[in-house]
Amino acid sequence: MGLGPSRPLEVTMSLRTAVAAPFRQQGTTAMGESEFVVALSLDRDWFTPDQAKRLLDVAAGEGLVARDAGEVEVEFDPDGVAVPEGFVPDESILQQRSTFERILDSLVETGTEKQTAVAEINSLQADLGVTVEAAAVVYAKREGLDVGDTAERALGEL
């Protein structure tokens, strides 16, 4: 299939933690994009400003934040995420996961064997003549998994 491994749970949690930190620091659920970038790059010294902007892109792609007219709103409760003392996120969180990887991770989280899911998705892709992402959506739906948000975000990326 040629895709790299899906994002490990630790990296997903690290992304959520990094996103939550500026909101927790400000005691809010919304802020300007520039405030978010400053919080991660200058205040915490976790990333360069360009990397902080990239993190914002990844977080939006993952559905962790919503962006509108230069504003960022967190889509989960930042106070429900602990930011451990001495926490420094790894740069690997700056990599965007594909729609396929997000759906595969969701399937694995619900108990589907990763190899089984990949084999079934590949089979569907060949049978239906569709992209791997479309096949993953069909397979997830057949397995009773709601991937509507992921599919909608994927359509928005086209």
Side-chain angles (χ1 to χ4, degrees), residues 54-77:
R54 175 73 184 137
L55 178 83
L56 195 50
D57 292 340
V58 171
E62 296 285 331
L64 298 176
V65 297
R67 297 162 91 176
D68 185 35
E71 293 291 311
V72 181
E73 185 172 350
V74 68
E75 295 287 305
F76 61 92
D77 178 11

Side-chain angles (χ1 to χ4, degrees), residues 6-29:
S6 61
R7 183 181 299 237
L9 182 59
E10 310 83 61
V11 176
T12 302
M13 295 309 294
S14 184
L15 175 62
R16 185 177 284 269
T17 304
V19 169
F23 294 101
R24 288 176 54 102
Q25 178 181 324
Q26 300 282 336
T28 187
T29 58

Side-chain angles (χ1 to χ4, degrees), residues 69-92:
E71 293 291 311
V72 181
E73 185 172 350
V74 68
E75 295 287 305
F76 61 92
D77 178 11
D79 292 330
V81 177
V83 181
E85 187 70 33
F87 170 80
V88 177
D90 188 84
E91 285 186 29
S92 64

